[in-house]
Amino acid sequence: VPDRDRAELKRRKLLLEMTLKSYWIRKGSAFSTAVARPETELTPEMIATGSWRQLPFKPYNFSSLGLPPACGHLHPLLKVRSELRQIFLEMG
């Protein structure tokens, strides 16, 4: 469509320009149908046989914080000591 006609059709809102993108997806050199799970632990058997050299290992995340401890409890003697302290504080 010539530019002049295209501008006229746009002005009259009879033309809508759209950009379409398409992608070609092909199998690469590392394509595999099997899912390989990386190893997470190094065992003594792997070290003894030397098989750890050929195995893929999961990378470590050193910046993760980990899980906080669930809860904690006071030692029974500390509970008694805090109760006695509170009694003496109330007595003056």
Side-chain angles (χ1 to χ4, degrees):
V1 177
D3 290 337
R4 184 175 171 218
D5 292 341
R6 186 181 319 147
E8 179 65 28
L9 290 172
K10 273 186 175 180
R11 186 180 63 78
R12 293 169 46 187
K13 298 185 181 186
L14 296 174
L15 178 69
L16 177 64
E17 286 191 57
M18 297 176 73
T19 303
L20 297 176
K21 293 183 182 182
S22 62
Y23 298 95
W24 290 92
I25 300 174
R26 295 188 179 135
K27 295 177 185 177
S29 61
F31 176 79
S32 174
T33 56
V35 177
R37 301 196 90 185
E39 293 291 326
T40 56
E41 294 182 10
L42 182 63
T43 61
E45 291 82 21
M46 288 180 188
I47 295 172
T49 61
S51 64
W52 63 272
R53 291 184 181 103
Q54 289 81 25
L55 295 174
F57 283 93
K58 182 178 177 181
Y60 288 104
N61 183 4
F62 292 107
S63 62
S64 66
L65 298 176
L67 296 174
C71 63
H73 300 284
L74 290 176
H75 191 272
L77 291 177
L78 287 176
K79 285 183 182 179
V80 171
R81 189 173 92 182
S82 64
E83 288 176 15
L84 288 175
R85 183 171 187 258
Q86 188 62 36
I87 291 170
F88 285 129
L89 284 174
E90 289 174 1
M91 289 173 47

